[in-house]
Amino acid sequence: MNQKDETVRRQPLQMEKEPFDFARWWDRVGILIVLLALVAFMSIFAPNFARVDNLFNIARSISVNAILAAGMTFVILTKGIDLSVGSTVAVSGVVAVLAAIAGVPAPIAILSGMLVGAACGIVNGALVAYMGLAPFIVTLGLMTFLRGLAYTMTEGQPIVSSSLNFKAFGSGYIADVPIPVITMIVVYIIAWFVLERTRFGRHIYAVGGNEEAAELAGVRVKRILTAVYVIAGLCAGLAGVIFAARVISAQPTAGTGYELDAIAAVVLGGTSLSGGRGRIIGTLIGAVILGVLSTGLILMDVPSSPSF
Amino acid sequence: MAGPTDDPEPLLKLESISKRYGATLALDNASFDLRAGEVHALMGENGAGKSTLMKVLAGNITRDSGRILMDGKEIEIRSARDARAHGIAIIHQELNTVPQMTVAENLSLGQEPVTGLRMLDRRAMLDSAREKLATTGSDIDPRKPLGSLSVGRQQMVEIARAIGENARVLVLDEPTAALSRAEAEQLYTLIAKMRAEGVGLVYISHRMEEVWRLADRVTVFRDGCFVGTNRMKDTSPQEVVRMMVGRSVGHLYEHPDRNPGKSVLSVRDLSGDGVEGPISFDVHAGEVVAMAGLVGAGRTEVARLIFGAGRRTNGTVFVNGRASEPADPSDAIADGIGMLPEDRKIQGLFLDHTVAANISISSLLQFVRAGVLREKLEREAVEQEMKRLNLRSNAIRLPVKALSGGNQQKAAVARWLLRDSDVLIMDEPTRGVDIGAKREIYEMIQELAEAGKAILVISSDLPEAIGISDRVLVMRHGRIVHEMSSACATEQDVMFHATGTAAQDAPAGEEVLQ
């Protein structure tokens, strides 16, 4: 075995020099090009679209869905799905508003809403990771349960609180930038850092790429699975608080159908529903495209029913 | 042997077939001929062009140039349907069947019998399925869903389908790769029967002893070129290997004497999932221990128990004298154990992820500074391990699925080199790997042994198990039934203990390579 050079023939590697591969290139930047084309189109044809205040309005209207989608990205990267985030938006908003009405200071009220979201995530995560149940079933069940809980807590009526102490969290500005937009940007920076620059992030991709191989490579798969649902719940809780602050009330119907918008943003952003592949930046672009489309169509006076 | 006569008209002849993919010439003037009633082995490393040639024959791809003749007349094969019409059937490694459907439904796929009212004629379907299965001499129930059968039996169904379509040329692509010994024996019998009936069989395999047992002639390809065709009786395994790699490989398993040190891995009275036990053995520093036995003897299960991937009911494992009681593989890795799993695609690799991510996944903590994963440190460390295994560093950003089988396995090995575990368990480290990569994996095992690691190799390849190790442990029915020094062990000894039968009953094919 020591006469290495005489006996070992080098393995030829396939894909010597990669020729330009349009499909792969499009995979990476295609979505950005779609967004730019869309913005260009809207700037020309939608009146007032390109005004700075309108762009900030769009950004604010996107923020709730974008934050949900950030959490959803973590779940979908592990090959899962979380259908309960829309209902979590309602419950966490209700809890935050009720806490504020009870006299709790604003930061604590906001935190309580987020913690409710995280608690929902723990339920989802535990059932998926430790009981081995299908994410679709588990989160569909929790979605129905939480919606019912939101109705029960509000007795079916919106609870309006015009003096809501954390309403700036939904409608305030810092240096002309809406606070929800700042929150959204912070969420995405954290999410990007976690996914791209931590061991935990790599483990998420590994679990989604091949769960069995991840386990045998030393990844604690169950903990990772639980953690991604907690992250999705935390994001949903945050989104719920922002929504409640924006409408200055606890709405039992808040967030209905938002889970699908979030999933749409994630998938549009290039994350694979079969797990292990995708980028958080794609999700942000996906959410922006959805937001630009709906706002642009309104500005162009397309009646809302045909605009789906 | 009632072999083919000296120079009959070939049943099938492929003349100077070429096929180019972009800049790569996958097949360069390849020629091949097959006679009725012969088994013609096709050998070569991964990427040598065997599969491409067979795809041309199957009509999956069209050739750029060359001719295909059947019974001396030129034929055109443009689609799988054409191939079938000419009586050419191919049994692929990945079976082309629908696992959810029953055996009978699979057998009549595409030509379902119908009644006068265009309804499915289930009775006719069952009858014809029974008839086809009977020709293979198997007792498979045609009403069972195909997916409920073992891989070997599914393969029988595919062969039955080919026979049912009166195939005159049958190509078997590594048919025994996933079969148990008993299933392989059944397949050998069936091959002999078809050969006697005048079918021409092309047999693609990496297993030398199998080829020597079955084939009449062997053709070797290398880098897309035809190297030569020989009658088995005029050649030797050494010569075939030389043809495959282009030069003499010397003795594949040769390694210098090792001096094992203190015990690194001690297993005491272990039992649990799939292991009756009690299992006790030691692997010492600088020692390579092979675990042999039949498929199902419990070797992989022992490895999984040690590695925390199975539930233990009894016993203790010590690593460097410290008890290791892992709740999951993550704990075992922290205790200094590494395991290369049996099936690299399902259990080992993240096929869509880059080579770098695949190699570093178990060692990421090394590259974390203040909570941040430092990609530069990671890349440097990964490149170093790739170099040790002759993996070119420009592959580092490629998805691992873009590599050949041998290079994929080397990436899987590199993960554990990077982790630098004291104990390394390797489950079938060279399965489905070509000779060049095999050799490099053996060299790496030797290098690890020299570095004082304790290595446990599970192998179904007997010459390999004996050749690369210092000791062989033989398992049967969930127990270690025998231990011997590799220096004195023979394949017959191992088979004797693995099967629990008399040595002379061991299959003759096992004796050839040595």
Side-chain angles (χ1 to χ4, degrees), chain A residues 1 4 6 8-9 11 13-15 197 202 205-206 210 212-218 220 276-277, chain B residues 45 245 247 254 307 328-331 333 346-347 349-350 353 362 373 378 402-404 434 439-440 442:
Chain A
M1 278 212 188
K4 203 171 183 168
E6 180 209 300
V8 174
R9 215 165 49 84
Q11 271 280 302
L13 259 181
Q14 275 113 45
M15 304 177 71
R197 288 287 179 270
R202 288 293 185 83
Y205 280 95
N210 184 341
E212 189 176 358
E215 176 87 32
L216 291 177
R220 294 191 201 271
R277 268 182 304 156
Chain B
E45 298 191 347
V245 301
R247 58 176 73 81
E254 207 167 83
F307 196 55
D328 58 24
S330 171
D331 289 341
I333 293 168
I346 293 172
Q347 305 168 314
L349 296 170
F350 309 96
H353 297 178
S362 300
L373 184 68
E378 180 194 5
L403 306 186
S404 70
D434 59 69
R439 167 126 220 169
E440 284 165 347
Y442 295 151

